[in-house]
Amino acid sequence: MGRPSQPLISRDAAFRAALTVIDREGLEAFSVARLAEEMNVKVPSLYHHFRHKGEILAGVARLIMVEADDLKRWPRGPWKEVFENLTVSAWRAMVRHRNAMPLIFQFPPRSVVLGSYERNINVLEKKGVPRHQILRLLQGMDSILMGAAFVAASADPDSTGVFPAFDPHAFPALAAVAGASDMNHEDLLRATMRTFMDGVSPDLPEENAVTAGAEVA
Amino acid sequence: MGRPSQPLISRDAAFRAALTVIDREGLEAFSVARLAEEMNVKVPSLYHHFRHKGEILAGVARLIMVEADDLKRWPRGPWKEVFENLTVSAWRAMVRHRNAMPLIFQFPPRSVVLGSYERNINVLEKKGVPRHQILRLLQGMDSILMGAAFVAASADPDSTGVFPAFDPHAFPALAAVAGASDMNHEDLLRATMRTFMDGVSPDLPEENAVTAGAEVA
DNA sequence: ATTATCTATAGATCTATAGATAATGC
DNA sequence: ATTATCTATAGATCTATAGATAATGC
């Protein structure tokens, strides 16, 4: 066959195809051979673009974090509301690619994460959030986001609520309090974020005035 | 050789040996053959005790969560303080076994988690925490815990602070705010938990009195 | 008779490389 | 001359099973 007129493979296309395979069939099912098949290409051709399998997997992890971060465009509005919505978007991206979660653990895309922190710091500063609160806020939200993604992604995708099906006789106290709540994972994430943001940055009347005046496009 | 007088293998011993291998050499390095070697035993002998590899890995995930939960003994004292310390213990257990993190994702030990919720609900009720706050509190803390474990476990184990080494010229805003803070992962977890707990359950004077009187052994 | 080990091995993968071939771009 | 594909294959693993063997416990 020899070299084709149009390249059949690009690194980016390979990352996307790999993610598709992982989304559809799970991380265990992924292999270089499986990826080649998905791209209608032969295995050694992929090794022309990548040194080893780990390079592909790291690219997939990066792709997901870029997708999660890409939505963080900070439209105008009160920063808590905007920040909450953007974090939910990031959470959705991670849950959408739940099968790939271990990759984000194994190949943390540091530059993407650092870039996201950098921009969010700048926006929060412009929005008038006191400087000493900013790092606290971002790091806490990051923990909450990653935890919620981890928990939701590892949960049974078919179950409606947050808890898996359980025998109420075996866990009576849980049955009593869980029965009262019908929150899903996303509601829970929002509630946790709001409580946390209000805790770090209480809505003092003067502060609201400052924040409202310091909004950013 | 035939059957030995004393059994060489128990399921529990196998789980522990597997965890040792994973802690020491990583999840990738784990195989049934590697486990057999670690236990000075042959591969088919392990298949006498387990149907397949996944059964072993699920047991490892369970073992870690039991270790994380085992410390939750609720000594007497103000519930926020006690709850914070117990959550830090659980976090430490997970970070100690960071290499196994993907297993907790892949084989979530539901019964252990449900049991932990059940007991914690009972204790918080006895400590006088208002009923409607309890589920909110436990679920939020769970997210924060899992997120902090995920983030800390995927971080460079050698780096001192929370952020990986980065070029301050590339991320100036981050450099400015991060330079001011010298928190490590554990400090950060504690700060986030406190903020969250105070947010869900503010320290009203009357409530403090009730809580103090309702402590549990 | 049952249980817990072993030896031996089937059979399926899977990663990665060597070397041929044909299109491209200087 | 370089680049991007292919064919062919080495070589390493890895999971799991079949069947022999010897100790146990009824």
Side-chain angles (χ1 to χ4, degrees):
Chain A
M1 188 188 189
R3 180 179 181 179
S5 325
Q6 291 288 95
L8 304 179
I9 299 170
S10 72
R11 288 173 64 94
D12 194 63
F15 295 145
R16 287 175 197 284
L19 181 53
T20 303
V21 170
I22 293 165
D23 284 344
R24 194 199 308 131
E25 300 166 35
L27 193 53
E28 308 274 276
F30 178 82
S31 70
V32 180
R34 186 68 198 76
L35 173 58
E37 192 184 20
E38 177 72 18
M39 300 183 79
N40 290 311
V41 118
K42 302 298 175 182
V43 168
S45 312
L46 286 168
Y47 279 96
H48 181 70
H49 297 265
F50 304 99
R51 261 189 294 274
H52 48 257
K53 189 189 176 188
E55 213 173 299
I56 304 175
L57 295 177
V60 172
R62 189 189 173 83
L63 187 64
I64 294 169
M65 290 311 272
V66 168
E67 183 181 327
D69 186 54
D70 191 48
L71 299 166
K72 293 192 179 167
R73 297 213 175 275
W74 289 96
R76 77 173 33 252
W79 70 264
K80 283 184 188 175
E81 200 181 292
V82 175
F83 198 16
E84 179 187 318
N85 287 330
L86 295 174
T87 306
V88 168
S89 293
W91 176 84
R92 283 191 191 140
M94 283 192 267
V95 174
R96 190 158 51 239
H97 303 298
R98 43 158 62 87
N99 293 345
M101 204 72 185
L103 294 182
I104 294 169
F105 176 79
Q106 205 185 344
F107 304 100
R110 303 195 201 280
S111 66
V112 180
V113 173
L114 289 173
S116 170
Y117 267 89
E118 179 74 10
R119 191 185 55 252
N120 291 347
I121 290 166
N122 281 321
V123 177
L124 288 173
E125 276 186 340
K126 282 197 194 119
K127 294 249 186 193
V129 178
R131 236 178 177 239
H132 70 277
Q133 293 175 358
I134 289 180
L135 195 61
R136 221 36 97 79
L137 217 31
L138 288 173
Q139 291 184 322
M141 291 287 277
D142 199 32
S143 245
I144 292 168
L145 163 62
M146 296 309 291
F150 188 93
V151 170
S154 67
D156 178 3
D158 298 331
S159 94
T160 34
V162 172
F163 291 105
F166 64 90
D167 175 7
H169 296 288
F171 306 100
L174 179 58
V177 304
S181 154
D182 60 345
M183 283 211 281
N184 59 27
H185 286 282
E186 189 177 311
D187 296 336
L188 176 62
L189 171 61
R190 298 195 107 104
T192 304
M193 287 193 292
R194 269 187 232 125
T195 300
F196 176 73
M197 286 190 285
D198 289 343
V200 173
S201 194
D203 286 318
L204 303 176
E206 333 88 75
E207 222 165 59
N208 274 340
V210 173
T211 305
E215 268 160 30
V216 146
Chain B
M1 190 194 190
R3 179 179 183 178
S5 326
Q6 289 289 95
L8 304 179
I9 298 171
S10 73
R11 287 174 64 94
D12 194 65
F15 295 144
R16 288 176 196 283
L19 182 53
T20 304
V21 170
I22 291 166
D23 285 344
R24 194 198 309 129
E25 300 166 36
L27 193 52
E28 308 275 275
F30 178 82
S31 70
V32 180
R34 186 67 198 78
L35 172 60
E37 192 184 19
E38 177 73 18
M39 299 182 80
N40 289 312
V41 117
K42 302 297 173 182
V43 169
S45 312
L46 286 168
Y47 279 96
H48 182 71
H49 297 265
F50 304 98
R51 261 189 294 273
H52 48 257
K53 190 189 175 189
E55 214 173 300
I56 304 174
L57 295 177
V60 172
R62 189 189 173 84
L63 187 64
I64 294 169
M65 291 310 274
V66 169
E67 183 181 326
D69 187 55
D70 191 49
L71 299 166
K72 294 192 179 169
R73 297 215 173 277
W74 288 96
R76 75 173 33 254
W79 69 264
K80 283 184 189 176
E81 198 182 295
V82 175
F83 198 15
E84 179 187 320
N85 287 330
L86 295 174
T87 306
V88 168
S89 292
W91 176 84
R92 282 191 192 142
M94 283 191 268
V95 174
R96 189 157 52 238
H97 303 298
R98 43 158 63 87
N99 293 345
M101 203 74 185
L103 295 181
I104 294 169
F105 176 79
Q106 203 185 347
F107 304 98
R110 306 195 199 278
S111 66
V112 179
V113 172
L114 290 172
S116 169
Y117 267 87
E118 178 74 10
R119 192 184 55 252
N120 291 347
I121 291 166
N122 281 320
V123 177
L124 288 173
E125 277 186 339
K126 283 199 193 116
K127 293 250 186 191
V129 178
R131 245 190 168 225
H132 70 277
Q133 293 176 358
I134 288 180
L135 195 60
R136 218 43 91 81
L137 217 32
L138 288 174
Q139 291 184 323
M141 291 287 278
D142 199 30
S143 246
I144 292 168
L145 163 63
M146 296 308 291
F150 188 92
V151 171
S154 67
D156 178 3
D158 298 332
S159 93
T160 33
V162 171
F163 291 105
F166 64 90
D167 175 6
H169 296 289
F171 305 99
L174 180 57
V177 305
S181 154
D182 61 343
M183 283 211 280
N184 58 28
H185 287 281
E186 189 177 312
D187 295 336
L188 175 62
L189 171 60
R190 300 194 105 106
T192 304
M193 287 193 293
R194 270 187 230 123
T195 299
F196 176 73
M197 286 190 286
D198 288 344
V200 173
S201 194
D203 286 320
L204 304 175
E206 332 88 76
E207 219 167 61
N208 274 340
V210 173
T211 306
E215 268 158 30
V216 145

